[in-house]
Amino acid sequence: KAGVTQTPRYLIKTRGQQVTLSCSPISGHRSVSWYQQTPGQGLQFLFEYFSETQRNKGNFPGRFSGRQFSNSRSEMNVSTLELGDSALYLCASSPGGLGNQPQHFGDGTRLSIL
Amino acid sequence: DQQVKQNSPSLSVQEGRISILNCDYTNSMFDYFLWYKKYPAEGPTFLISISSIKDKNEDGRFTVFLNKSAKHLSLHIVPSQPGDSAVYFCAASAQGAGDMRFGAGTRLTVKP
C-alpha cells in the first residue's frame, strides 16, 4: 500500500515569490493535514482538509492557503514568501471518519527561501 | 501556545537499558495521544497511541503511560536498541480532530 507522497522534495525560492506544494494521501484516506516544522519548534499545525472542505485551521497568516480535490489529493500554497517560511512542510493523512486515528506522514517538502 | 511540551531536548541511554521519554500537556480536552519517531530526511512514523480511557498501552518494546490527573504521558522503550536513535515527538488531539498538537521533540541516542 503506497504511503503519503509529497512533491517536490526540495524547493528553493526567493522572497516575494509564491509556491505550491502537493500531497497525495494514502488510498482511501479522506483527511489531509499540513504541518510546518522548523528547528526547535516541533510541528506546527497549518490546516486540515476533509472531503474538499477545510475542517480545521491553525494560527498562520492568510498567505498560507490550501485546497483538496475530489480524489483527496491536497495542495498547499504560500504567497509572498518570507525568509521565515524556510522550513520542512509535512503532509499527513488519515481515514478521517469518526473516532481517533493516527495520521500518517509523507517525507515532506523542504522549502528554502533565499 | 505550547499545549504539548517535551522538556528534554535530548536523552542518551546505553543499549539494553530503558529509555523514558516524557511529555506534558495543558489542554484537558485532549483525549488521544500519540508518539511518533522521526529519522533525518524522513517524515514522522507513527509508533504507538493511547486513548484517554486507558492509562497504559503496550506494543512490543514500546509502552505508553498516561496520567490524566497530572496531564502527563511517557514512552518507555525496553530494551533500547541503537536503531531506536531518532527524534521522538509526542502529539495530542481532541475528539477526533485533524489538528494534532505536537511537542518540540526529544532526540534519543542509544549507545552500543
Side-chain angles (χ1 to χ4, degrees):
Chain A
K1 192 176 186 181
V4 178
T5 304
Q6 292 188 245
T7 56
R9 288 296 309 276
Y10 302 94
L11 207 46
I12 299 175
K13 291 285 186 179
T14 56
R15 281 180 299 173
Q17 287 187 310
Q18 73 156 14
V19 67
T20 299
L21 312 182
S22 180
C23 173
S24 293
I26 291 172
S27 178
H29 284 192
R30 296 164 62 194
S31 169
V32 174
S33 297
W34 288 89
Y35 296 86
Q36 180 195 66
Q37 185 187 11
T38 52
Q41 290 293 316
L43 280 72
Q44 304 292 317
F45 172 73
L46 280 153
F47 30 66
E48 182 218 4
Y49 285 86
F50 179 77
S51 292
E52 302 178 65
T53 301
Q54 188 179 87
R55 189 161 69 171
N56 289 287
K57 188 177 187 306
N59 197 24
F60 277 79
R63 298 186 297 108
F64 292 81
S65 63
R67 59 178 174 167
Q68 186 179 34
F69 302 94
S70 59
N71 62 358
S72 293
R73 190 177 71 84
S74 177
E75 288 182 347
M76 188 189 91
N77 186 276
V78 187
S79 62
T80 319
L81 286 164
E82 301 177 358
L83 291 177
D85 296 334
S86 294
L88 179 67
Y89 290 88
L90 291 159
C91 163
S93 76
S94 68
L98 295 175
N100 293 315
Q101 302 140 339
Q103 294 179 346
H104 299 273
F105 284 83
D107 287 336
T109 294
R110 182 160 297 280
L111 176 63
S112 299
I113 311 301
L114 304 179
Chain B
D1 63 37
Q2 279 292 96
Q3 297 185 50
V4 179
K5 294 182 181 179
Q6 293 176 258
N7 292 319
S8 298
S10 63
L11 175 68
S12 181
V13 300
Q14 208 66 35
E15 180 179 7
R17 306 294 291 268
I18 183 172
S19 295
I20 300 177
L21 296 100
N22 294 301
C23 180
D24 297 295
Y25 62 95
T26 58
N27 189 340
S28 58
M29 296 298 291
F30 288 148
D31 61 359
Y32 185 54
F33 305 88
L34 310 89
W35 285 94
Y36 285 84
K37 179 170 71 173
K38 188 178 185 301
Y39 294 117
E42 294 182 10
T45 301
F46 170 68
L47 205 52
I48 192 170
S49 64
I50 187 168
S51 166
S52 60
I53 62 173
K54 293 185 173 182
D55 54 20
K56 176 182 174 181
N57 189 25
E58 192 171 352
D59 184 2
R61 296 185 298 113
F62 302 90
T63 303
V64 56
F65 295 92
L66 176 63
N67 182 333
K68 289 185 289 294
S69 61
K71 294 191 176 64
H72 177 84
L73 68 155
S74 61
L75 175 68
H76 293 208
I77 306 174
V78 183
S80 301
Q81 300 173 353
D84 296 329
S85 297
V87 177
Y88 289 77
F89 291 97
C90 70
S93 69
Q95 299 172 355
D99 57 339
M100 289 192 179
R101 305 295 169 167
F102 283 78
T106 296
R107 180 176 300 280
L108 173 66
T109 303
V110 181
K111 298 180 178 178

